[in-house]
Amino acid sequence: MTHSKASSIIPVILSGGSGTRLWPLSRASYPKQFAPLIGDASLFQASAGRLSGAAFARPVVVTTNDFRFIVVEQLAALRLDPEAILIEPEGRDTAAAVLAATLQASETAADALVLIAPSDHLIPDTEGFASCVETAVATAREGRIVTFGIKPNRPETGYGYLEKSEPHNGPQPLARFVEKPDAATAQEMVTGGKHLWNAGLFLFRADVMRAAFEAHAPQVLQHVEAAYVNARRDLGFTRLDPTHWAGIDPISVDCAVMEKANNLSVMPYTGAWSDLGDWKAVWRETEQGGVATAGPALAMDCTDTLLRSENPDQTIVGIGLENIVAIAMPDAVLVAHKDRAQEVKQAVATLHARGLKQAKTLPRDYRPWGWYESLVVGGRFQVKRIVVHPGAALSLQSHHHRSEHWIVVEGTARVTVDDEVKLVTENESVYIPLGAVHRMENPGKLPMVLIEVQTGSYLGEDDILRYEDVYARD
């Protein structure tokens, strides 16, 4: 058998999750993996950077339609060019995502090495992690599926565990998977030293993983292969076929394959790691002396507390707090006991059931051309701030129910109104009558900022009739 070269480990970044336990920062419209949760880079960018360099080929990203342009923008900021961006028509859990990416990797070589990685994990030691992966390469080349286990530093009941078969820290046969334990069992496993946290990281040959699905999950293989073969290209994205994808029963890769296969090995990772699954985990990774703050925040006489403000003009102050998480956003505030951080997901479900927009969307709405946010909303008017990236353009469109005034405050806009095209510079404005066909573009090299005043009987975002769109949105 011929092997693909060692430098071509193909990293697969799974980035379709919603991260509701980190609400209100993480929401369905812009989940935690794309937010700068710790540091200036997003977790997605940190993952992509960690999986780049001499040991890795260009990444394959699996995401959803809503996040496709966010992925492109954040990779471009790192100057990383993906091998492929696969678009899932709808979430079907990790088995389908892993297999679709494996089929994509097979286009490079049937026996290409593939590394599956979630996009939202914190692994600070990039070199140590790369060394750990390299240590497992030979085992994966031999036809083993290598799962990476994290050496636990506390009894954690929120994770599944992996049981080692040998006492050393090198790659070795996996003894068994262990479901999420109770507190007493978790303590025993940590004390015993034979168990690792299941991190959802896997290294394998593409042909080996395909064979595993053929043996243990043939129906998943049938539908995913059909969805992949019938995928269509769209602006550099690969859209998996929705008809075949809909036939997949949601199932994790652990349940579909890993817990049934007899060729699994485990590679212990002893460095720092966190899935940042809730605000308690964020506190744990950022606290100093028991208190963690971010943004304009002041903690007075507080212990074991996290205070975080996402608005530079909004200061959060805590006095005499103990075991509290307080997160302030412009449109929502979370205050919770730190030990009940897992229940945030339930709170989000309740908000959604009540029809509150804060359950899913942020005040800032990200689009492929930039972003906008509402500053003031009235009965028949709305004021927005709109930021357009250099070289970007909004769609050619019209509205049935509203007219618009645009005032450029930074940069220059190229504005189309019916048959007229003109440049509008700082401190200049333009009026868009109701029904006029119009477009806004940024021809400059810096972001363009304008204030939009909408007036009319209906101001919803669905009052848009598109005629042309460089981003091929419906």
Side-chain angles (χ1 to χ4, degrees):
M1 177 182 292
T2 59
H3 293 302
S4 51
K5 57 187 179 180
S7 62
S8 62
I9 297 174
I10 300 174
V12 171
I13 306 174
L14 306 180
S15 56
S18 58
T20 53
R21 289 187 181 90
L22 287 177
W23 184 91
L25 174 66
S26 175
R27 306 191 199 180
S29 66
Y30 203 82
K32 68 170 184 174
Q33 61 266 32
F34 301 118
L37 192 60
I38 295 180
D40 295 330
S42 71
L43 295 175
F44 172 79
Q45 289 176 311
S47 295
R50 184 165 57 248
L51 301 175
S52 63
F56 298 101
R58 296 192 300 171
V60 174
V61 180
V62 185
T63 190
T64 67
N65 186 65
D66 290 343
F67 306 150
R68 66 195 191 282
F69 291 111
I70 300 174
V71 165
V72 170
E73 182 179 331
Q74 294 205 353
L75 288 177
L78 299 177
R79 298 185 178 180
L80 289 177
D81 184 21
E83 178 66 27
I85 298 176
L86 305 183
I87 307 298
E88 294 182 280
E90 52 189 322
R92 282 295 183 261
D93 215 325
T94 54
V98 167
L99 180 55
T102 299
L103 298 177
Q104 173 67 47
S106 298
E107 301 283 351
T108 302
D111 66 337
L113 279 185
V114 179
L115 177 66
I116 303 294
S119 62
D120 55 358
H121 289 186
L122 178 68
I123 305 177
D125 186 0
T126 297
E127 292 184 4
F129 178 75
S131 177
C132 182
V133 172
E134 183 61 31
T135 302
V137 164
T139 303
R141 288 261 184 238
E142 293 169 359
R144 308 285 295 181
I145 299 174
V146 181
T147 177
F148 292 82
I150 310 301
K151 184 178 179 181
N153 56 16
R154 65 184 184 278
E156 177 62 64
T157 59
Y159 302 150
Y161 285 72
L162 307 169
E163 185 176 317
K164 300 194 298 181
S165 58
E166 301 170 9
H168 62 79
N169 282 329
Q172 56 192 271
L174 175 67
R176 66 185 179 106
F177 285 89
V178 181
E179 294 299 321
K180 295 177 182 179
D182 57 33
T185 304
Q187 183 62 64
E188 290 176 3
M189 289 193 293
V190 172
T191 303
K194 291 177 60 179
H195 294 84
L196 307 165
W197 290 334
N198 185 357
L201 292 155
F202 305 100
L203 180 68
F204 50 80
R205 287 197 336 238
D207 56 341
V208 170
M209 182 56 74
R210 188 195 179 283
F213 272 91
E214 190 170 28
H216 305 296
Q219 288 187 325
V220 176
L221 176 62
Q222 175 188 346
H223 291 300
V224 173
E225 277 197 322
Y228 182 76
V229 169
N230 291 282
R232 66 180 179 89
R233 299 283 290 173
D234 173 21
L235 293 179
F237 304 106
T238 300
R239 292 185 174 275
L240 299 164
D241 180 75
T243 302
H244 293 287
W245 196 261
I248 304 167
D249 291 330
I251 187 172
S252 70
V253 69
D254 280 355
C255 292
V257 171
M258 301 301 178
E259 294 176 3
K260 301 173 183 176
N262 60 6
N263 61 335
L264 258 66
S265 291
V266 60
M267 176 66 204
Y269 178 66
T270 59
W273 170 92
S274 175
D275 69 343
L276 295 176
D278 58 28
W279 285 115
K280 185 176 182 179
V282 175
W283 167 82
R284 189 181 293 116
E285 296 301 323
T286 57
E287 61 91 8
Q288 294 184 350
V291 174
T293 61
L298 173 63
M300 298 175 60
D301 194 26
C302 296
T303 57
D304 297 337
T305 288
L306 168 63
L307 301 178
R308 183 180 184 115
S309 173
E310 294 298 321
N311 185 344
D313 298 322
Q314 181 182 37
T315 300
I316 184 170
V317 178
I319 303 174
L321 302 180
E322 184 175 353
N323 285 317
I324 292 296
V325 168
I327 312 298
M329 297 283 290
D331 65 335
V333 176
L334 169 70
V335 181
H337 193 283
K338 186 157 55 64
D339 292 339
R340 300 185 65 177
Q342 289 280 340
E343 297 176 39
V344 172
K345 185 175 183 179
Q346 299 166 235
V348 174
T350 301
L351 294 176
H352 179 59
R354 293 181 179 180
L356 296 177
K357 63 182 182 180
Q358 289 94 335
K360 287 193 168 185
T361 60
L362 288 166
R364 180 173 293 183
D365 196 322
Y366 292 88
R367 298 298 173 94
W369 43 260
W371 56 267
Y372 72 85
E373 59 186 353
S374 294
L375 303 178
V376 181
V377 179
R380 292 178 58 89
F381 75 93
Q382 180 173 203
V383 180
K384 290 182 176 179
R385 173 167 54 178
I386 300 176
V387 177
V388 184
H389 297 317
L394 280 68
S395 61
L396 185 67
Q397 59 184 255
S398 65
H399 308 296
H400 292 299
H401 303 286
R402 70 175 184 255
S403 59
E404 297 172 343
H405 294 261
W406 293 344
I407 304 99
V408 176
V409 295
E410 291 182 29
T412 299
R414 180 187 293 120
V415 176
T416 299
V417 183
D418 290 329
D419 295 328
E420 181 183 5
V421 180
K422 63 179 180 179
L423 294 178
V424 182
T425 59
E426 290 182 11
N427 298 320
E428 294 183 341
S429 64
V430 63
Y431 173 60
I432 314 297
L434 186 150
V437 177
H438 59 281
R439 173 164 29 212
M440 177 199 316
E441 305 170 70
N442 179 1
K445 296 183 179 180
L446 295 173
M448 183 265 291
V449 183
L450 63 87
I451 300 300
E452 176 183 87
V453 181
Q454 303 175 350
T455 57
S457 59
Y458 178 71
L459 307 174
E461 285 303 309
D462 53 348
D463 181 24
I464 296 177
L465 179 60
R466 287 194 176 104
Y467 304 95
E468 296 175 8
D469 184 39
V470 296
Y471 308 106
R473 293 170 294 174
D474 295 332

